[in-house]
Amino acid sequence: MKLLVTGGAGYVGGVCAEVLIRDGHEVVVVDDLSTGNADGVPSGAKFVEGDITTAGVELVESESFDGVLHFAAQSLVGESVQQPEKYWHGNVVKTFTLLEALRRAGTPRLVFSSTAAVYGEPAQVPIPESAPTAPTNPYGASKLAIDHAITSYANAHGLGATSLRYFNVAGAYGGLGENRVVETHLIPLVLQTALGHRDSISVFGTDYPTADGSAVRDYIHIRDLADAHVLALAQSRPGEHRIFNLGSGTGFSVREVISACERVVGHPIRSVDAPRRAGDPAVLIASSAKATANLGWQPAHNDLDEIVADAWEFLRSLGERAHSAR
């Protein structure tokens, strides 16, 4: 298939584009490089630098694509609280513009990068897709709004769409990994500390009702995530919008993640205890039973040390090019 990948210079988009290319698809990446890196675009992809509302729309309407994988988004939770306008415009308005282009061009398939943030603070764990959606920040709310828009486009215009709601993505694949100027994810932050790019890693909350008092999260390997996108694309159904959670189904605490990083790097990593952050649930674990039953998807890389080792190898390979926020 000929596929357009928006945000394909970012971490998740770049790895997914690489897997699609290795599976024999023709891939075009569009990215404005506002948060992504040109180095993150797979060598086998055609790269067009630009915004999805201009360059992306022009590509959709001038070339015949079999599908679009939409990763381009604003994705910092804290920033979304401080600058909600950036998220409503950057995520919702821009995606609406893209959806209109897909409708005009008759593009048949869409896979959308959604998020577990749509669930907010869950009432049950593991979290199924039937759980109430109650996002606690504009980032999650903007992604949920897009899900609703996609449903209406599928119903009205025959679009075959899938939304994949990720939990915590980590690891690396094909020489591609996390390399962001503003890093918020735990595993790369711990590994940056191990490299000396940070003085310490903060453990936000030590009094949660968990085994060691720190918050528990579900970590999914980036390769497993990419495989889910390939399956979702291949199994799209005209006129139907399907939604799936993607996670390993296993939870690891912040302290367990730090310990895994210490095992991989071979030396202690300094951590400091800090107060809880507002709105951080104690436990977030996905139920991916629906994805397994409907897509035939099963994560193959659930070992935390393997996930960390892949991320560590990538980060070390960057050398002085690695981003750090001191």
Side-chain angles (χ1 to χ4, degrees):
M1 288 190 284
K2 183 176 181 180
L3 304 169
L4 179 65
V5 177
T6 74
Y11 170 44
V12 177
V15 172
C16 286
E18 172 71 14
V19 171
L20 290 166
I21 291 167
R22 294 191 181 194
D23 282 356
H25 299 290
E26 179 184 354
V27 173
V28 179
V29 166
V30 61
D31 197 301
D32 64 6
L33 300 183
S34 60
T35 57
N37 304 295
D39 290 346
V41 179
S43 58
K46 173 186 174 182
F47 175 49
V48 176
E49 183 177 351
D51 188 86
I52 61 170
T53 59
T54 52
V57 167
E58 182 178 343
L59 283 165
V60 168
E61 296 185 336
S62 64
E63 302 188 25
S64 180
F65 287 101
D66 297 300
V68 173
L69 294 95
H70 181 34
F71 301 95
Q74 303 295 326
S75 60
L76 300 177
V77 170
E79 181 184 65
S80 79
V81 175
Q82 298 167 352
Q83 301 178 56
E85 66 281 1
K86 184 176 180 179
Y87 284 72
W88 289 109
H89 182 267
N91 292 351
V92 178
V93 174
K94 289 189 176 184
T95 299
F96 168 72
T97 303
L98 180 65
L99 283 170
E100 276 292 276
L102 300 184
R103 179 183 64 81
R104 291 191 297 268
T107 306
R109 301 173 185 86
L110 172 68
V111 179
F112 173 55
S113 170
S114 192
T115 173
V118 302
Y119 297 113
E121 299 191 31
Q124 65 181 109
V125 176
I127 305 169
E129 291 82 357
S130 59
T133 49
T136 58
N137 52 70
Y139 165 64
S142 70
K143 289 285 194 172
L144 181 59
I146 293 168
D147 277 342
H148 288 312
I150 292 172
T151 297
S152 64
Y153 269 71
N155 292 338
H157 305 303
L159 180 66
T162 307
S163 289
L164 300 176
R165 292 174 175 171
Y166 316 158
F167 282 62
N168 291 56
V169 187
Y173 174 75
L176 301 173
E178 289 191 81
N179 180 25
R180 304 187 297 178
V181 174
V182 180
E183 186 55 74
T184 59
H185 294 164
L186 179 61
I187 288 175
L189 289 176
V190 177
L191 295 178
Q192 286 179 5
T193 307
L195 284 171
H197 294 169
R198 296 172 178 271
D199 294 331
S200 63
I201 184 71
S202 296
V203 179
F204 293 104
T206 59
D207 58 349
Y208 285 105
T210 59
D212 62 20
S214 63
V216 170
R217 296 293 183 266
D218 186 331
Y219 293 87
I220 177 174
H221 195 288
I222 183 65
R223 177 57 204 263
D224 288 331
L225 188 77
D227 288 344
H229 286 77
V230 174
L231 291 168
L233 187 72
Q235 299 179 44
S236 66
R237 301 173 178 175
E240 187 174 348
H241 178 208
R242 300 195 292 174
I243 297 174
F244 300 103
N245 290 342
L246 296 180
S248 68
T250 303
F252 296 97
S253 72
V254 173
R255 295 198 189 280
E256 287 176 323
V257 169
I258 294 172
S259 294
C261 291
E262 290 177 332
R263 288 193 296 272
V264 169
V265 306
H267 61 77
I269 299 171
R270 183 171 181 267
S271 64
V272 295
D273 293 346
R276 294 187 189 187
R277 292 179 296 195
D280 270 1
V283 179
L284 287 177
I285 299 174
S287 169
S288 299
K290 183 180 176 183
T292 299
N294 289 270
L295 297 178
W297 178 78
Q298 187 70 43
H301 306 279
N302 286 343
D303 183 75
L304 182 59
D305 284 22
E306 178 187 357
I307 294 172
V308 170
D310 287 347
W312 177 239
E313 181 180 357
F314 169 76
L315 193 57
R316 287 196 302 170
S317 75
L318 293 177
E320 293 184 356
R321 294 188 297 116
H323 293 307
S324 63
R326 297 178 185 271

